[in-house]
């Protein structure tokens, strides 16, 4: 394809501002798919997959658009995931583009992700085209939103298309804007190959499908390629373009083009997002900048409710990992929960997605432990350990310094809610950095906050206390020294390893008390009294008691037959003992889940 007739772009937006809806409209307007077909595509995705023997994931599509100037352009629309957990994937997708369409909801205006994504696009020197969406809503105020865009983002917005993606109003203005204002790609088609991987996906029939953008040179069918970071080398079996309803094969893709290739690759680990594809025979001198391996931020233990399902859980995790290079897992065992896995995730959303897929696609009933970040501990002997499972936290006596990860947090909100937000952040040990008025009705607050405090309920709490108006963005800032303690939970005097957690000393009492209360509520009464205790290094800091459901064995004894009484009591004690050991282990799953859902 003639480079001057190619446009590579992403659509960026705050969540719910209409990215998917506009994408669908663009696809439809380019005549690629009829409305009816599109609906059936969504509904019958599974059948479609079977038919084609290939998994369709519209991470990028190529549209042919006949512009008003009479030329036909190839528009490559590259999708970006919409959540902070996947910021790195977003950055690689943007690196594959020359421009970005920035959607802003005409009734909401600029929100946190609008800013965060715009900054990202600016970092990649993209041409940014603002588009005002949802003008059909009664609350739409395009004029105000345009002013916001000019004042806050310093982007010219006067001529920004005002559209309704939902009702299909003014969509062609967006396409013309793209053709006229996003620069065509550059790059020498005969230079050594350099192509950027922005996504890859495992397909059971053809192996991994690698999605890439050619920056320099040409990728040809049959050619031997090498991934510069992973070192893996493969022969390209097939390559082509991505179409809305499937994949077209072609002989080669040249500089500026976006497409896919397959090579019977067994695992996405070989083709990680951000890696550079080059020719094995004539390799590029240096890879494209910006590669970084995925780094899990949140860990938790995953177990099956039914211990015998452990092998199924392992198979399921292995299958998911084929497709998700950022999911990590290692076997671990817990006295309370049996055999399971310690899994690492990019963030809480990633964790929830994986848990849900395990339950839904693999039909597993899971028990998960409290999520935890990775702590760093320098021991008195000078060694440094990274702790992803609270149970393995070193003895207090052997610790010379403990550190926890902090995030740079940005919160954007109408000024009215600042009074609610600040105490919340403080309560979560946030260190206030600064506050700026972006506009008369929008402020941005910056905090440095422990990630361990964010992962619990911060996002939900923030939404609740700002009627949903505030939005949140965060990224890892680094590790800082912290006064951390490990809290153990004891049931009937026995430690339940899966319930241990690491927390800042100041927070230890509060959280310990709440967990004990939750456990008390959820443990059914047993024949004996069950103390529920929380302890730091053997010192009890909180206690609740599950009262015994006492069977009155003495009721049968009339009068003073003391020996018989004694015998009965003796017997009951034995019974108690049995129950005790059982009781410790047989903490009902519901009780576990209740504790884990604390906060
Ligand atoms: P995520 O995929 O969750 O990031 O959201 P998104 O940004 O892709 O937004 P999506 O396209 O899913 O739209 C969010 C909601 O806004 C949906 O309920 C859409 O129907 C609605 N919506 C999108 N465009 C318009 C519009 O022009 N007018 C109105 N009234 N609603 C719209």
């Amino acid at each position: 394809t003639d480079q001057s007739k190619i446009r590579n772009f992403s659509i960026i937006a705050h969540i719910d501002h209409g990215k998917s809806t506009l994408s669908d409209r663009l696809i439809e307007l380019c005549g690629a798919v009829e409305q009816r077909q599109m609906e059936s595509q969504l509904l019958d995705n599974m059948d479609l997959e079977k038919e084609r023997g290939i998994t369709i994931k519209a991470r990028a599509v190529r549209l042919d658009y006949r512009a008003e100037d009479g030329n036909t352009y190839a528009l490559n629309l590259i999708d970006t995931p919409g959540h902070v957990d996947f910021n790195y994937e977003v950055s690689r997708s943007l690196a594959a583009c020359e421009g970005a369409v920035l959607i802003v909801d005409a009734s909401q205006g600029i929100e946190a992700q609008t800013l965060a994504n715009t900054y990202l696009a600016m970092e990649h020197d993209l041409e940014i085209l603002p588009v005002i969406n949802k003008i059909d809503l009664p609350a739409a105020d395009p004029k105000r939103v345009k002013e916001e865009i000019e004042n806050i983002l310093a982007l010219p917005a006067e001529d920004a298309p005002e559209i309704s993606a939902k009702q299909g109003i003014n969509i062609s203005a967006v396409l013309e804007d793209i053709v006229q204002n996003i620069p065509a790609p550059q790059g020498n088609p005969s230079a050594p190959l350099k192509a950027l991987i922005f996504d890859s996906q495992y397909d059971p029939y053809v192996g991994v499908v690698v999605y890439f953008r050619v920056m320099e040179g040409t990728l040809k069918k049959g050619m031997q390629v090498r991934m510069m970071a992973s070192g893996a080398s493969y022969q390209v079996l097939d390559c082509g373009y991505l179409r809305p309803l499937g994949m077209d094969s072609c002989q080669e893709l040249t500089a500026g083009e976006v497409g896919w290739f397959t090579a019977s690759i067994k695992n996405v680990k070989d083709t990680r997002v951000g890696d550079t594809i080059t020719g094995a025979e004539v390799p590029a001198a240096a890879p494209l900048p910006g590669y970084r391996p995925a780094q899990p931020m949140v860990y938790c233990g995953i177990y099956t409710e039914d211990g015998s399902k452990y092998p199924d859980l392992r198979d399921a995790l292995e299958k998911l990992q084929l497709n998700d290079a950022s999911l990590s897992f290692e076997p671990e065992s817990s006295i309370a929960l049996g055999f399971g896995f310690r899994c690492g995730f990019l963030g809480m959303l990633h964790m929830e997605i994986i848990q849900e897929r395990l339950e839904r696609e693999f039909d597993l009933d899971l028990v998960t432990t409290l999520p935890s970040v990775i702590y760093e501990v320098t021991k008195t002997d000078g060694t440094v350990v990274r702790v992803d499972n609270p149970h393995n936290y070193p003895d207090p006596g052997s610790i010379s310094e403990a550190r926890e990860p902090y995030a740079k947090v940005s919160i954007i909100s109408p000024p009215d809610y600042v009074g609610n937000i600040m105490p919340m952040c403080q309560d979560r040990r946030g260190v206030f950095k600064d506050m700026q008025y972006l506009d008369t009705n929008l402020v941005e607050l910056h905090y440095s906050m422990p990630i361990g405090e964010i992962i619990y309920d911060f996002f939900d709490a923030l939404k609740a206390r700002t009627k949903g108006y505030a939005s949140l963005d965060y990224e890892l800032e680094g590790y800082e020294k912290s006064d951390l303690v490990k809290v153990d939970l004891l049931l009937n005097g026995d430690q339940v390893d899966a319930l241990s957690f690491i927390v800042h000393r100041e927070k230890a009492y509060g959280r310990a008390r709440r967990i004990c209360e939750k456990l008390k509520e959820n443990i059914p009464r047993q024949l004996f009294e069950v103390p529920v205790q929380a302890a730091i290094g053997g010192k009890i800091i909180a206690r609740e008691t599950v009262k015994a459901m006492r069977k009155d064995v003495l009721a049968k004894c009339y009068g003073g037959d003391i020996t018989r009484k004694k015998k009965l009591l003796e017997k009951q004690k034995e019974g108690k003992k049995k129950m005790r050991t059982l009781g410790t282990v047989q903490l009902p799953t519901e009780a576990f889940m209740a504790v884990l859902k604390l906060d």
Side-chain angles (χ1 to χ4, degrees):
T1 316
D2 174 4
Q3 260 180 3
S4 71
K5 302 288 184 311
I6 300 176
R7 299 290 182 270
N8 299 317
F9 70 103
S10 277
I11 301 181
I12 55 178
H14 186 79
I15 193 154
D16 273 352
H17 282 202
K19 200 172 82 175
S20 312
T21 313
L22 179 61
S23 305
D24 290 351
R25 285 290 177 199
L26 296 182
I27 292 170
E28 193 186 292
L29 210 79
C30 291
V33 200
E34 283 175 39
Q35 179 71 31
R36 192 164 33 80
Q37 253 179 320
M38 248 167 71
E39 275 163 18
S40 70
Q41 182 196 4
L42 293 178
L43 294 176
D44 301 339
N45 215 0
M46 297 302 286
D47 293 334
L48 214 74
E49 275 178 33
K50 271 186 233 140
E51 255 171 52
R52 288 165 192 274
I54 196 158
T55 314
I56 296 161
K57 181 177 159 198
R59 270 303 301 277
V61 302
R62 177 170 162 140
L63 308 171
D64 292 323
Y65 172 61
R66 200 174 153 79
E68 281 166 15
D69 67 8
N71 293 311
T72 299
Y73 291 82
L75 308 184
N76 291 306
L77 164 54
I78 299 176
D79 191 21
T80 55
H83 192 275
V84 274
D85 284 8
F86 306 108
N87 268 354
Y88 178 66
E89 277 78 355
V90 176
S91 85
R92 294 305 83 201
S93 294
L94 294 180
C97 299
E98 276 77 27
V101 170
L102 170 68
I103 306 182
V104 185
D105 184 323
S107 67
Q108 297 290 327
I110 288 174
E111 297 192 71
Q113 303 289 327
T114 316
L115 267 181
N117 287 322
T118 305
Y119 290 153
L120 263 180
M122 286 173 173
E123 276 170 32
H124 289 91
D125 289 327
L126 301 190
E127 183 69 34
I128 301 170
L129 310 178
V131 166
I132 316 298
N133 189 31
K134 306 200 189 183
I135 55 159
D136 59 294
L137 289 177
D141 190 351
K143 192 163 161 287
R144 176 184 71 89
V145 173
K146 284 184 176 182
E147 279 168 14
E148 265 185 23
I149 294 172
E150 298 203 327
N151 295 339
I152 300 171
L153 305 175
L155 292 171
E158 208 182 326
D159 301 325
E162 296 179 18
I163 69 163
S164 165
K166 192 174 177 181
Q167 301 190 352
I169 299 168
N170 218 8
I171 308 297
S172 57
V174 180
L175 289 165
E176 282 301 314
D177 206 5
I178 291 167
V179 165
Q180 285 163 26
N181 295 313
I182 291 179
Q186 292 174 338
N188 179 0
S190 32
L193 175 65
K194 266 193 201 185
L196 173 68
I197 301 178
F198 60 83
D199 196 13
S200 66
Q201 196 184 20
Y202 179 77
D203 176 273
Y205 299 91
V206 297
V208 175
V209 181
V210 184
Y211 301 95
F212 61 91
R213 149 79 195 266
V214 186
M215 308 306 279
E216 299 275 351
T218 300
L219 182 139
K220 295 187 172 128
K221 201 182 267 191
M223 138 184 213
Q224 193 74 24
V225 292
R226 191 162 59 81
M227 312 316 137
M228 295 181 86
S230 78
S233 185
Y234 289 98
Q235 189 185 14
V236 175
L237 290 181
D238 202 357
C239 61
Y241 305 122
L242 301 129
R243 296 291 182 181
L245 279 181
M247 311 171 89
D248 281 358
S249 275
C250 67
Q251 288 306 309
E252 60 175 40
L253 288 106
T254 59
E257 293 195 284
V258 173
W260 57 270
F261 85 86
T262 58
S264 290
I265 303 167
K266 291 284 166 277
N267 194 311
V268 288
K269 281 206 157 121
D270 283 350
T271 55
R272 288 186 182 252
V273 171
D275 204 346
T276 302
I277 309 163
T278 194
E281 277 170 32
V282 192
L288 295 161
Y291 174 70
R292 112 175 124 70
Q295 174 124 65
M297 295 251 255
V298 178
Y299 287 78
C300 79
I302 297 186
Y303 296 80
T304 50
E305 212 168 289
D306 171 358
S308 69
K309 291 276 172 63
Y310 171 78
D312 299 357
L313 176 60
R314 187 191 49 224
D315 289 351
L317 283 167
E318 276 168 2
K319 285 215 178 84
L320 289 181
Q321 199 181 44
L322 286 178
N323 222 342
D324 185 346
S326 46
L327 166 68
S328 67
F329 64 94
E330 265 172 38
E332 72 170 11
S333 62
S334 147
I335 298 162
L337 301 175
F339 291 101
F341 295 92
R342 174 87 358 198
C343 305
F345 309 94
L346 296 172
M348 290 296 272
L349 180 77
H350 187 213
M351 181 176 98
E352 281 163 26
I353 291 173
I354 297 290
Q355 287 175 0
E356 195 167 313
R357 292 190 63 184
L358 287 171
E359 295 198 318
R360 274 214 263 169
E361 293 171 31
F362 298 91
D363 200 22
L364 294 166
D365 291 319
L366 304 178
V367 181
T368 55
T369 67
L370 280 172
S372 166
V373 297
I374 297 195
Y375 297 95
E376 261 179 25
V377 178
T378 304
K379 306 223 288 188
T380 42
D381 63 7
T383 54
V384 175
V385 289
R386 289 166 66 79
V387 182
D388 64 16
N389 182 349
H391 186 62
N392 302 331
Y393 199 68
D395 276 343
S398 69
I399 296 173
S400 104
E401 186 185 276
R403 291 175 297 276
E404 67 177 321
Y406 271 68
K408 220 195 284 179
V409 173
S410 145
I411 299 166
I412 293 175
S413 165
D416 294 356
Y417 298 106
V418 170
N420 292 357
I421 296 170
M422 290 184 122
M424 270 181 69
C425 294
Q426 233 154 349
D427 192 43
R428 285 171 175 74
R429 299 187 285 131
V431 181
F432 177 76
K433 293 293 174 190
D434 56 60
M435 178 171 105
Q436 279 160 285
Y437 274 81
L438 298 171
D439 200 354
T440 47
N441 41 24
L442 215 52
V443 290
E444 181 173 19
L445 297 114
H446 286 115
Y447 277 87
S448 176
M449 204 185 286
I451 294 181
E453 296 282 343
I454 300 171
I455 62 170
Y456 282 103
D457 65 334
F458 186 58
F459 185 67
D460 292 337
L462 183 71
K463 285 281 173 198
R465 298 222 196 145
T466 60
K467 297 201 173 130
Y469 278 109
S471 31
L472 169 75
D473 195 33
Y474 70 90
E475 61 181 346
L476 179 67
E477 193 172 37
Y479 275 76
E480 278 183 45
K481 190 179 165 183
S482 182
D483 188 9
L484 301 168
V485 290
K486 181 173 84 154
V487 179
D488 295 315
L489 267 291
L490 293 88
L491 290 183
N492 221 13
D494 289 332
Q495 190 182 320
V496 183
D497 56 355
L499 291 177
S500 296
F501 59 94
I502 298 167
V503 65
H504 191 267
R505 191 179 300 275
E506 281 174 14
K507 295 291 184 98
Y509 290 88
R511 190 165 300 164
R513 209 174 316 117
R514 273 181 299 160
I515 290 191
C516 286
E517 284 164 11
K518 260 278 155 62
L519 278 171
K520 182 194 167 189
E521 283 166 27
N522 284 281
I523 296 174
R525 284 190 170 205
Q526 326 234 336
L527 288 174
F528 51 92
E529 200 173 88
V530 181
V532 179
Q533 295 163 304
I536 300 176
K539 186 174 160 262
I540 306 296
I541 60 166
R543 177 187 166 125
E544 293 284 336
T545 306
V546 181
K547 289 243 168 62
M549 162 177 76
R550 194 181 169 92
K551 235 199 258 167
D552 198 354
V553 286
L554 301 185
K556 284 183 203 149
C557 309
Y558 319 104
D561 186 357
I562 193 78
T563 45
R564 190 156 170 254
K565 254 189 200 167
K566 259 196 180 151
K567 257 192 195 152
L568 274 168
L569 282 171
E570 214 59 57
K571 245 184 155 172
Q572 199 193 24
K573 224 165 143 192
E574 262 177 41
K576 268 187 198 166
K577 248 188 215 147
K578 221 169 167 185
M579 285 300 295
R580 220 169 262 166
T581 31
L582 269 181
T584 306
V585 185
Q586 285 192 342
L587 173 66
T589 315
E590 308 89 76
F592 248 103
M593 298 317 267
V595 174
L596 301 176
K597 294 213 170 94
L598 191 77
D599 289 312

